[in-house]
Amino acid sequence: MTSVSTVFSRRHSRQSQTHRNNRLHSADTRAVCGNRMMEEGPYKYIREGNDKVSRVIRIGTRKSQLARIQTDSVADSLKELYPDVHLEIVAMSTKGDIILDTALSKIGEKSLFTKELENALERNEVDLVVHSLKDLPTTLPPGFTIGAVLKRENPHDAVVLHPTNAGKTLETLPENSVIGTSSLRRAAQLKKRFPHLEFKDIRGNLNTRLKKLDEKQDFAAIILAAAGLKRMGWENRISMILEPEDCMYAVGQGALAVEVRSRDADILEMVSVLHDPDTVLRCIAERAFLKKLEGGCSVPVAVHTQVKDSHLYLTGAVYSLDGSDSLKETMQTSIVAGDESLEKVDEQVQRVGVTASKLPGDVQDRAEQLGIDLADLLLRKGAKDILTVARQCNDAR
């Protein structure tokens, strides 16, 4: 029996750096026609001083500062692995960036932060797109796949207090203090845990929400993803990290995903080395859980995963909007790979949108089944009724 990380490393080492680079330098030099940069068909190429022609890899991203920081980190990793590859970042706005006066749960669209990026990918205007994994629906449009899930940052939520409340906690804030969050998941759990607090929507990117907190007296605190604050270099703003007992996190929270065209084998191969095995398995289980529940941002669904002693543990929960009604269970599965899985890999297989051909298929299957089994358990206990009422209440708000 072999660990997932060992199998991943073994498969990765089979391909030399030269081989990986050469696959992206296969352009016909005659296509450049003496120009330094040109496009041929759906691709873009650059001609260097030594007459070598290389494909330019265009990376799509949202325009926000956090999105650019996250995309730059992926680009830096690719540049380190493939120093001869030329990267170009293409930034654009999404519907979720533009509509800022409505709670995400009320807009009612699954691809708020991804659709425009996927449209560019479909039109061959970019070759890959960097997302926060939690923004990606569990079912991707045909022709797309998640080619890499990077090592997860802290997935927990963080409390950022108004400067006048420094030193306090959610528990010690005065009665009826207003907490800002547009997440039904966060509000439902925290209403149950801290019934003396009130919760109101707050929209905008991280910069905007922090400005709304600091410059007005509307909120005693706001709840944000710890990962985003850390990536922005604003860890000093974190007043407290919410542990799972207080607030479990969103599916995929803290992980970055690289979405590609599933037919683009060279790009898929290039980004696949960015996969973090433990993060991949955790997020496959989480996404399978959410997909089976038919959940999304319009219902409060929360998870917590952990890899420990060659086992994957998944805790999942559903809540009513006020947190008064809930179901929560934990299940586990082994993630030890059988030796036969070393050779049995189908590179076309996607699991809840993720293609990870260098990880043992049987282990990925178990992670996916774990999410399905946990969702089935909650559904048998009445989760569908809780979520149906939550949707109806949210629509009526």
Side-chain angles (χ1 to χ4, degrees):
M1 306 297 273
T2 314
S3 74
V4 176
S5 297
T6 301
V7 173
F8 181 75
S9 299
R10 193 179 299 171
R11 286 191 179 139
H12 182 193
S13 65
R14 289 176 182 173
Q15 299 170 326
S16 69
Q17 181 70 54
T18 301
H19 173 67
R20 282 187 255 124
N21 282 339
N22 285 345
R23 294 185 69 180
L24 296 164
H25 292 303
S26 57
D28 183 351
T29 56
R30 291 171 296 178
V32 180
C33 302
N35 295 325
R36 181 169 178 76
M37 185 87 71
M38 77 164 291
E39 295 182 11
E40 182 185 81
Y43 303 122
K44 191 173 184 179
Y45 299 97
I46 188 168
R47 180 182 183 181
E48 302 176 73
N50 58 5
D51 281 343
K52 181 171 70 173
V53 177
S54 302
R55 181 173 165 186
V56 177
I57 307 301
R58 298 158 298 179
I59 305 176
T61 180
R62 291 164 58 194
K63 286 184 176 179
S64 74
Q65 184 182 356
L66 176 59
R68 289 301 303 267
I69 288 172
Q70 293 177 164
T71 301
D72 287 346
S73 72
V74 172
D76 289 344
S77 296
L78 289 173
K79 196 66 180 174
E80 186 175 338
L81 288 163
Y82 309 99
D84 293 333
V85 170
H86 294 270
L87 303 175
E88 177 183 303
I89 294 177
V90 181
M92 61 195 78
S93 296
T94 65
K95 186 174 182 179
D97 297 312
I98 296 168
I99 301 177
L100 297 176
D101 57 353
T102 306
L104 295 177
S105 60
K106 297 290 287 182
I107 299 174
E109 187 171 323
K110 292 182 179 179
S111 305
L112 280 174
F113 295 104
T114 62
K115 189 172 184 179
E116 287 76 10
L117 293 164
E118 288 174 335
N119 287 344
L121 196 58
E122 185 174 28
R123 293 191 297 262
N124 291 302
E125 294 170 357
V126 297
D127 301 298
L128 57 97
V129 175
V130 178
H131 301 283
S132 293
L133 181 56
K134 71 175 183 178
D135 291 336
L136 278 172
T138 53
T139 300
L140 300 183
F144 299 131
T145 189
I146 298 169
V149 179
L150 284 75
K151 187 173 178 62
R152 196 174 209 167
E153 184 55 82
N154 184 341
H156 298 285
D157 290 316
V159 178
V160 180
L161 291 164
H162 189 281
T164 59
N165 291 317
K168 293 187 173 70
T169 65
L170 291 183
E171 199 157 18
T172 60
L173 283 172
E175 188 85 14
N176 300 322
S177 292
V178 177
I179 310 301
T181 177
S182 288
S183 163
L184 298 181
R185 169 191 58 82
R186 291 167 177 157
Q189 293 180 85
L190 295 175
K191 283 176 182 176
K192 182 177 183 179
R193 178 69 178 82
F194 305 102
H196 68 291
L197 302 176
E198 294 184 11
F199 295 83
K200 291 187 178 178
D201 289 334
I202 183 170
R203 284 292 317 281
N205 58 37
L206 277 183
N207 313 56
T208 301
R209 281 178 281 173
L210 285 171
K211 187 174 182 181
K212 288 179 179 179
L213 172 69
D214 293 341
E215 295 184 359
K216 299 181 180 180
Q217 299 296 321
D218 296 347
F219 301 101
I222 59 176
I223 312 298
L224 301 170
L229 289 165
K230 183 171 182 180
R231 289 179 180 133
M232 292 285 280
W234 296 341
E235 287 178 277
N236 63 321
R237 292 304 310 266
I238 296 177
S239 306
M240 63 182 291
I241 296 289
L242 292 170
E243 297 300 325
E245 300 77 34
D246 293 329
C247 189
M248 294 198 301
Y249 41 82
V251 166
Q253 185 161 309
L256 298 182
V258 180
E259 187 178 18
V260 302
R261 292 179 291 268
S262 50
R263 70 176 185 274
D264 202 338
D266 284 355
I267 299 295
L268 187 55
E269 172 66 29
M270 180 183 77
V271 303
S272 67
V273 297
L274 300 177
H275 270 310
D276 177 70
D278 284 359
T279 304
V280 171
L281 296 177
R282 291 171 65 186
C283 290
I284 284 176
E286 293 172 17
R287 286 170 63 81
F289 173 73
L290 184 65
K291 183 177 182 179
K292 183 67 177 181
L293 289 175
E294 299 180 350
C297 65
S298 61
V299 290
V301 175
V303 294
H304 177 258
T305 49
Q306 184 179 18
V307 172
K308 184 179 180 182
D309 299 329
S310 298
H311 281 74
L312 172 62
Y313 296 82
L314 170 64
T315 300
V318 300
Y319 300 87
S320 59
L321 290 192
D322 64 359
S324 61
D325 199 4
S326 64
L327 286 169
K328 179 179 176 182
E329 294 289 347
T330 300
M331 295 180 74
Q332 61 174 287
T333 189
S334 169
I335 54 170
V336 175
D339 290 338
E340 67 277 4
S341 68
L342 285 171
E343 303 304 329
K344 295 180 180 179
V345 176
D346 184 346
E347 298 198 7
Q348 302 304 312
V349 172
Q350 288 189 34
R351 294 167 180 85
V352 281
V354 179
T355 298
S357 60
K358 293 180 176 61
L359 272 69
D362 61 331
V363 176
Q364 293 184 65
D365 288 340
R366 272 180 257 141
E368 183 177 25
Q369 194 60 49
L370 176 64
I372 294 170
D373 289 346
L374 184 60
D376 280 336
L377 176 59
L378 293 188
L379 289 168
R380 289 196 299 271
K381 293 190 170 190
K384 185 174 182 179
D385 291 339
I386 294 175
L387 295 178
T388 298
V389 172
R391 283 193 184 93
Q392 293 171 344
C393 291
N394 182 55
D395 291 342
R397 285 199 305 164

